[in-house]
Amino acid sequence: MRRAQRSRQETLTLRRQLIGSSCKLFYPNDPLKIVKARGQYMYDENGRQYLDCINNVAHVGHCHPDVVKAAHEQNQLLNTNSRYLHDNLTDYAERLSEKLPEKLCTFYFLNSGSEANDLALRMARQFTKHEDVIVLDHAYHGHLTSLIDISPYKFRNLEGQKEWVHVAPVPDTYRGLYREDHEDPATAYATEVKNIIERAHKKGREIAAFFAESLPSVGGQIIPPEGYFQKVAEHVHKAGGVFVADEIQVGFGRVGKHFWAFQLQGEEFIPDIVTMGKPIGNGHPIACVATTKEIAEAFAATGVEYFNTFGGNPVSCAIGLAVLDVIEKEQLQIHATEVGNFLMKLLTEQKVKHPIIGDVRGSGLFIGVDLIKDQAKRTPATEEAEYLITRLKEEYILLSTDGPGRNVLKFKPPMCFTMEDAKFVVDTIDKLLTDMEKEHMNQEKTSTGST
Amino acid sequence: MRRAQRSRQETLTLRRQLIGSSCKLFYPNDPLKIVKARGQYMYDENGRQYLDCINNVAHVGHCHPDVVKAAHEQNQLLNTNSRYLHDNLTDYAERLSEKLPEKLCTFYFLNSGSEANDLALRMARQFTKHEDVIVLDHAYHGHLTSLIDISPYKFRNLEGQKEWVHVAPVPDTYRGLYREDHEDPATAYATEVKNIIERAHKKGREIAAFFAESLPSVGGQIIPPEGYFQKVAEHVHKAGGVFVADEIQVGFGRVGKHFWAFQLQGEEFIPDIVTMGKPIGNGHPIACVATTKEIAEAFAATGVEYFNTFGGNPVSCAIGLAVLDVIEKEQLQIHATEVGNFLMKLLTEQKVKHPIIGDVRGSGLFIGVDLIKDQAKRTPATEEAEYLITRLKEEYILLSTDGPGRNVLKFKPPMCFTMEDAKFVVDTIDKLLTDMEKEHMNQEKTSTGST
């Protein structure tokens, strides 16, 4: 049955009535009603086109025809649970295994990144028989009870830190503990983890896992120094724990050079568990946990079944396969490298021009622009970032912020984002920052004049 | 890209290589490879047709064309997160609200029943500021860390019972504590919950929630005595807790007479939180939590956002709406009542004929047939049930068992299941049970003859 289209105001009113207010809207003061999307563009109810710089879920582009077709073909044929044999499940696991180091050869399919991280946590504990988890500060690993416990970004605002959770400093070489002037920040940050383990041991606690996003996103679009993961893994393994690489935001070729962001740490680094979500199904609810034979066997040894009603169904797997096909067919990794490099270059040029830009960092189409109030203290330019985001929306560009200071502009657009899009967004940022600087100078003049 | 079809054996080999062995197959000794399904029928790689008596996820029938069409239309248009306004989200919440008591007017959308129960748990705790949960014995509420803790079906085989979990006896009037000969089993079972609360209070513990499937499924297709939930809710509310009705298996008109199974308890009973999953999207990963304004506001009062990446996206909501449309258009509730009553009648006739059938219970197309070894002790006929299931598969009928004794045949077919299907499956069961009785008599004769 067709339903009447409502005005934006009517939809907003209904939403406020019916949907829990914990579920937030973008631009809460003036939210967008989006009715259509294609590639890197979204369209509102009046047909206005917005450039989407943030939706990493629409990985190969909004409504990619190949993905839509794969879903439709399989939806017409069969959608059932994984208690029956089906080629889509095994084909998909096989294709993913080709993308991963050989060691990560056992797969579990689920419906969300949160479900994946929860399973990783269960597995780590079952395998190690330990309880404790080390996470990076400001990390976010999902919305479930178990994951809020290991997400400082969330638990700091809720019940606080559990006794089995240990928080390590973010390996942020721009505003963290050890910065670009440190001779070996990778070792220094890894030593912090080692110290945490030692303190835990002294309390009689044992480490089950070190959990980290391969590139911390909510933490502020951080690129950990190369070698950090290897050194952390050494400490964690020595303590009998496992290394969980959360690739939910950053996997599937986004970083360009590699298919997985953890590979930026060097080809020899291999996590014990990898979790996948968001981009994996281009918007369809899919997620995956990949792990080693040993961990999978320890998990199975309890004899307790793991059954996920929708996980690994033939439709989800068909969609997952189609996404992999598009990434390869359209050479989106190479594209992400080229466009990402160009975008980084343009943004770095802006850094020279606008003192508010403190740092530009990234890899492929995962880029952070750290806005600061002053060069000395690198104070987060929170209000300026928020103002810029609002002004960009008026210019039909969707961008948002991350980081504990909500001052890091985050670029993680659909992978079909072009050089022209990059130029358009940076030109617009340039124009807006120039305007902001002029306004600021005018205000200073006025206030100087009035004193 | 088209992929070559593999033989069943090849698929099985690959599955054993690539998929965690905790993920079990139906008929593990001789699993089925299903390649197609339609309505209440599934088809293997050789085109053999199976009657599906168990897949309650394919609620309105496998691959229902209206649902497939709704998915395809929306997939072509837009699939994004709920941080933008979209009519599908609000329309869907509005439609669900029309199906529920007025009090349950705030909605959250997620990807799986497990995610829904986890959110319900978080909400109950946030609202009550209490920690403890009372669950029914043998209950299963999901595969997440937090839900294994409240699922005796799982935790009994794993780490055991947490100090904040309390297990109440299943209100099973056939093989439970208080049976059909008890004058008031509803009150008696509810008093058990009251006693648990009192014992908890004595230990200084406080109850956040009573969690129960409206009809316990894994527990053995149980129909709680009418009035039980009201009385439990009274005790739980008095203790400051909330009542969570898990409708993941049994909602959406399956019970025929009502849209929700909790309504079997009487129109005046209203839970504080209702969780939905499985049938809600006919196989697409959707789930929902409905609750009261008060609980939603308490949950929002922390200021912490609840964001679910895929939850409530326009595609999921379009599918959810299409499922509701089909239930109404095809009058599937009336159909479930009629076919369910007929199936119950046929099965009850068999009970007279075959002493192995101890009890036939159900409502609509949710029916349990309790197989027993003897009338006196009602000993679960576990092996016989397993044998029957295997023999039924050879007759191209998919049926399975539930209950702690794995002796309860569970019927929960797609809602398009017909009178003819009911007749076919009961005739086949009759034939197989007759054969089993003959074999048993022959064995007895042989053993008597040889002594």
Side-chain angles (χ1 to χ4, degrees):
Chain A
M1 303 178 201
R2 287 269 160 194
R3 282 154 191 98
Q5 181 125 323
R6 300 179 201 271
S7 75
R8 193 180 65 122
Q9 192 51 52
E10 283 173 315
T11 309
L12 180 58
T13 306
L14 262 179
R15 171 149 173 153
R16 285 189 178 139
Q17 268 171 36
L18 291 160
I19 306 296
S21 60
S22 309
C23 307
K24 310 279 191 201
L25 287 161
F26 274 136
Y27 317 108
N29 298 326
D30 188 27
L32 282 176
K33 179 166 178 175
I34 297 292
V35 299
K36 209 177 84 176
R38 187 79 181 205
Q40 65 275 47
Y41 302 107
M42 302 188 97
Y43 301 87
D44 71 9
E45 77 282 19
N46 298 312
R48 281 179 297 223
Q49 176 181 296
Y50 291 81
L51 176 62
D52 183 356
C53 303
I54 48 176
N55 198 331
N56 60 335
V57 173
H59 190 59
V60 298
H62 288 280
C63 303
H64 193 292
D66 292 9
V67 180
V68 172
K69 184 166 172 262
H72 190 51
E73 285 180 359
Q74 188 57 52
N75 262 324
Q76 290 171 292
L77 261 185
L78 175 69
N79 183 10
T80 191
N81 64 63
S82 65
R83 279 172 174 155
Y84 301 104
L85 294 171
H86 198 281
D87 284 334
N88 288 7
L89 178 72
T90 42
D91 285 357
Y92 188 37
E94 196 175 37
R95 279 286 293 281
L96 284 172
S97 77
E98 289 160 10
K99 297 283 181 194
L100 282 159
E102 220 183 317
K103 202 181 117 185
L104 296 163
C105 57
T106 309
F107 296 84
Y108 302 80
F109 293 99
L110 327 86
N111 311 299
S112 69
S114 286
E115 287 193 353
N117 278 339
D118 183 83
L119 179 60
L121 179 62
R122 284 183 61 196
M123 284 181 161
R125 286 178 165 168
Q126 199 67 52
F127 176 68
T128 63
K129 310 279 179 200
H130 298 168
E131 188 187 11
D132 288 21
V133 175
I134 305 172
V135 290
L136 296 179
D137 204 1
H138 312 299
Y140 177 59
H141 292 294
H143 54 70
L144 299 166
T145 305
S146 61
L147 303 177
I148 289 168
D149 283 344
I150 64 166
S151 298
Y153 167 69
K154 289 279 173 189
F155 72 62
R156 292 224 198 282
N157 300 306
L158 289 163
E159 302 83 16
Q161 192 167 340
K162 295 273 160 69
E163 72 287 359
W164 52 268
V165 177
H166 311 274
V167 179
V170 193
D172 173 354
T173 53
Y174 181 67
R175 57 170 71 252
L177 218 51
Y178 309 105
R179 301 191 176 179
E180 68 277 12
D181 56 353
H182 190 283
E183 56 174 359
D184 185 3
T187 303
Y189 279 115
T191 303
E192 294 288 327
V193 175
K194 182 167 167 268
N195 296 341
I196 285 172
I197 294 172
E198 283 168 6
R199 284 198 298 273
H201 283 175
K202 273 180 195 152
K203 289 186 202 157
R205 308 203 64 92
E206 297 281 3
I207 306 301
F210 174 85
F211 255 81
E213 279 191 277
S214 299
L215 303 177
S217 312
V218 170
Q221 306 282 101
I222 307 298
I223 315 287
E226 211 182 308
Y228 169 68
F229 280 2
Q230 286 89 324
K231 290 175 210 293
V232 168
E234 241 176 72
H235 300 314
V236 171
H237 287 155
K238 205 182 269 179
V242 301
F243 192 113
V244 182
D246 176 340
E247 289 271 337
I248 293 165
Q249 292 264 16
V250 294
F252 291 88
R254 172 157 299 279
V255 300
K257 219 168 109 187
H258 303 283
F259 198 80
W260 308 106
F262 70 75
Q263 293 168 324
L264 289 169
Q265 290 279 315
E267 292 287 348
E268 80 289 5
F269 171 68
I270 303 175
D272 303 297
I273 302 178
V274 172
T275 58
M276 312 166 201
K278 295 192 190 280
I280 187 173
N282 216 46
H284 184 85
I286 321 181
C288 176
V289 173
T291 190
T292 63
K293 270 252 157 317
E294 295 69 40
I295 294 177
E297 277 167 14
F299 187 64
T302 59
V304 172
E305 180 181 8
Y306 178 79
F307 178 62
N308 188 305
T309 300
F310 307 125
N313 72 69
V315 175
S316 293
C317 293
I319 291 170
L321 280 162
V323 170
L324 293 179
D325 286 346
V326 175
I327 294 172
E328 285 171 18
K329 198 174 100 188
E330 300 185 3
Q331 303 193 296
L332 289 178
Q333 260 183 265
I334 296 171
H335 182 80
T337 303
E338 289 173 356
V339 177
N341 285 346
F342 181 62
L343 181 51
M344 283 278 284
K345 180 179 150 281
L346 295 179
L347 289 165
T348 308
E349 285 165 13
Q350 293 301 311
K351 188 183 152 193
V352 179
K353 198 169 162 189
H354 302 288
I356 194 174
I357 300 181
D359 190 35
V360 177
R361 52 186 177 252
S363 177
L365 284 169
F366 177 90
I367 294 170
V369 180
D370 202 315
L371 301 186
I372 53 170
K373 282 188 197 291
D374 58 287
Q375 291 286 349
K377 289 191 183 166
R378 299 179 177 177
T379 315
T382 309
E383 301 75 25
E384 292 83 350
E386 196 188 335
Y387 178 76
L388 182 62
I389 292 305
T390 312
R391 290 285 293 111
L392 279 165
K393 179 195 160 210
E394 290 161 12
E395 306 286 336
Y396 307 106
I397 293 171
L398 307 174
L399 196 71
S400 68
T401 58
D402 244 329
R406 282 172 292 113
N407 67 311
V408 182
L409 306 179
K410 60 170 167 184
F411 289 88
K412 42 174 194 162
M415 297 272 280
C416 49
F417 202 77
T418 65
M419 301 281 192
E420 294 71 37
D421 297 326
K423 181 128 181 38
F424 172 60
V425 63
V426 178
D427 283 350
T428 310
I429 288 174
D430 182 18
K431 190 183 76 181
L432 294 174
L433 289 181
T434 306
D435 286 354
M436 283 162 70
E437 284 152 8
K438 271 186 205 156
E439 279 167 42
H440 187 69
M441 273 171 61
N442 285 338
Q443 280 170 359
E444 292 222 320
K445 262 189 212 161
T446 318
S447 67
T448 316
S450 69
T451 51
Chain B
M1 301 176 201
R2 288 267 160 196
R3 283 156 190 97
Q5 181 126 324
R6 300 180 202 271
S7 75
R8 193 180 67 121
Q9 192 51 50
E10 282 173 316
T11 309
L12 181 57
T13 306
L14 261 178
R15 172 152 173 149
R16 285 189 178 140
Q17 267 171 36
L18 291 161
I19 305 297
S21 60
S22 309
C23 307
K24 309 278 191 201
L25 286 160
F26 274 136
Y27 316 108
N29 298 325
D30 188 26
L32 284 176
K33 179 167 178 173
I34 297 292
V35 298
K36 210 177 83 175
R38 188 80 182 204
Q40 64 275 48
Y41 302 106
M42 303 188 95
Y43 302 87
D44 71 10
E45 77 282 18
N46 297 313
R48 282 179 297 222
Q49 176 181 295
Y50 290 82
L51 175 62
D52 182 356
C53 303
I54 46 174
N55 198 331
N56 60 335
V57 173
H59 191 59
V60 299
H62 287 281
C63 304
H64 194 291
D66 292 8
V67 180
V68 172
K69 184 165 170 265
H72 190 49
E73 284 181 0
Q74 188 58 51
N75 262 324
Q76 290 171 291
L77 261 184
L78 174 69
N79 184 10
T80 191
N81 64 62
S82 64
R83 279 173 175 155
Y84 301 103
L85 294 171
H86 198 280
D87 284 334
N88 288 5
L89 177 72
T90 43
D91 285 357
Y92 188 36
E94 195 175 37
R95 280 287 293 282
L96 285 173
S97 77
E98 290 161 9
K99 297 283 182 193
L100 282 159
E102 220 183 318
K103 202 181 118 185
L104 297 164
C105 56
T106 308
F107 296 85
Y108 301 80
F109 293 100
L110 326 87
N111 312 300
S112 69
S114 287
E115 287 193 353
N117 278 339
D118 183 84
L119 179 59
L121 180 62
R122 284 183 61 196
M123 285 181 160
R125 286 177 165 169
Q126 199 67 53
F127 176 68
T128 63
K129 311 279 178 199
H130 298 170
E131 188 188 9
D132 288 21
V133 175
I134 305 172
V135 290
L136 296 179
D137 204 1
H138 313 300
Y140 177 58
H141 293 293
H143 55 70
L144 299 167
T145 305
S146 61
L147 303 177
I148 289 168
D149 283 344
I150 63 166
S151 298
Y153 167 68
K154 289 280 174 187
F155 73 62
R156 293 224 197 283
N157 300 306
L158 289 163
E159 302 85 15
Q161 192 167 339
K162 294 274 160 69
E163 72 286 358
W164 52 268
V165 177
H166 311 276
V167 179
V170 193
D172 174 354
T173 52
Y174 181 67
R175 56 171 70 252
L177 219 50
Y178 309 107
R179 300 191 176 178
E180 67 279 11
D181 56 353
H182 190 282
E183 56 174 0
D184 185 3
T187 303
Y189 278 115
T191 304
E192 294 288 326
V193 175
K194 184 168 166 265
N195 295 340
I196 285 172
I197 295 172
E198 283 169 6
R199 284 197 298 273
H201 284 175
K202 273 181 197 152
K203 288 187 205 158
R205 307 202 65 91
E206 298 281 2
I207 307 300
F210 174 85
F211 256 81
E213 279 191 277
S214 299
L215 303 177
S217 311
V218 170
Q221 306 282 100
I222 307 298
I223 315 286
E226 211 182 307
Y228 169 68
F229 280 2
Q230 286 90 324
K231 291 175 209 291
V232 168
E234 241 176 74
H235 300 314
V236 171
H237 287 155
K238 205 181 269 179
V242 301
F243 192 113
V244 182
D246 176 340
E247 289 272 337
I248 293 165
Q249 292 263 15
V250 293
F252 292 87
R254 172 156 300 279
V255 300
K257 219 168 109 187
H258 302 283
F259 198 79
W260 307 106
F262 70 75
Q263 293 168 323
L264 289 169
Q265 290 279 316
E267 291 288 348
E268 80 287 6
F269 171 68
I270 304 175
D272 302 297
I273 301 178
V274 172
T275 58
M276 312 167 200
K278 294 193 190 280
I280 187 173
N282 216 46
H284 185 84
I286 321 182
C288 176
V289 173
T291 190
T292 63
K293 271 253 157 315
E294 295 70 42
I295 294 177
E297 278 166 14
F299 187 63
T302 59
V304 172
E305 180 182 8
Y306 178 79
F307 178 62
N308 188 305
T309 300
F310 307 126
N313 72 69
V315 175
S316 292
C317 292
I319 290 170
L321 281 163
V323 170
L324 293 179
D325 287 346
V326 174
I327 294 172
E328 286 171 18
K329 197 173 101 185
E330 300 185 2
Q331 303 193 294
L332 290 178
Q333 259 183 266
I334 295 171
H335 182 80
T337 303
E338 290 173 355
V339 177
N341 285 347
F342 181 62
L343 181 51
M344 283 278 284
K345 179 178 151 281
L346 296 180
L347 289 165
T348 308
E349 286 166 12
Q350 293 301 310
K351 187 184 153 193
V352 179
K353 199 169 161 188
H354 301 288
I356 194 174
I357 299 180
D359 190 34
V360 177
R361 52 185 177 253
S363 178
L365 284 169
F366 177 90
I367 295 171
V369 180
D370 201 314
L371 301 186
I372 54 170
K373 282 189 197 291
D374 58 287
Q375 290 288 349
K377 288 191 182 165
R378 300 181 177 176
T379 315
T382 309
E383 302 74 26
E384 293 82 351
E386 195 188 337
Y387 178 75
L388 183 62
I389 292 304
T390 312
R391 289 285 292 110
L392 280 165
K393 179 195 159 211
E394 290 162 12
E395 305 287 336
Y396 307 106
I397 292 172
L398 307 174
L399 196 70
S400 69
T401 58
D402 243 329
R406 283 173 290 114
N407 66 310
V408 181
L409 306 179
K410 61 170 167 184
F411 289 88
K412 41 173 196 162
M415 297 272 280
C416 50
F417 202 78
T418 65
M419 302 280 192
E420 294 70 38
D421 297 326
K423 179 125 183 42
F424 172 60
V425 63
V426 178
D427 283 350
T428 310
I429 288 174
D430 182 18
K431 191 184 75 179
L432 294 175
L433 289 181
T434 306
D435 286 355
M436 282 161 71
E437 284 153 7
K438 271 185 204 157
E439 279 167 42
H440 187 69
M441 275 171 60
N442 285 338
Q443 279 170 0
E444 291 223 320
K445 262 188 208 161
T446 319
S447 68
T448 316
S450 70
T451 51

